[in-house]
Amino acid sequence: ELVETWERDRPRGADVAALVIHHAYQRIIAKGPRVISLILEELEKKPGHWFWALHVLTGANPVPPEIQGNIAEMRKAWLAWGREHGYRP
């Protein structure tokens, strides 16, 4: 439900800060590490700005500087990280 709310109500064309301060996004993060797998599932289904939430929840940043800003490559990096750490099959 929170994902649907965030996707429906988040600002379009806004900077990342505006996306991640949205109340639904913050409530997702507040649920703690138990939502890491769920976020990775969402990211696997479609691209989305889940990178900040994943970083906050895991402390990890598998995105090398050369692909920062490339959403498709950042997505691949996080999905690979999830598999390597047992969050994804």
Side-chain angles (χ1 to χ4, degrees), residues 43-51 54 62-64 66-81 83:
L43 192 57
E44 192 168 53
K45 289 180 201 172
K46 60 185 174 190
H49 287 280
W50 293 110
F51 313 119
L54 289 166
V63 178
E66 62 270 15
I67 65 169
Q68 287 288 336
N70 181 330
I71 302 299
E73 292 300 315
M74 292 170 66
R75 178 180 180 227
K76 287 179 191 176
W78 271 107
L79 292 174
W81 179 92
R83 285 189 296 278

Side-chain angles (χ1 to χ4, degrees), residues 1-3 5-7 21-29:
E1 182 179 315
L2 289 172
V3 171
T5 300
W6 180 66
E7 288 180 343
I21 62 169
H22 188 279
H23 66 91
Y25 193 91
Q26 289 298 309
R27 288 182 59 202
I28 291 166
I29 292 172

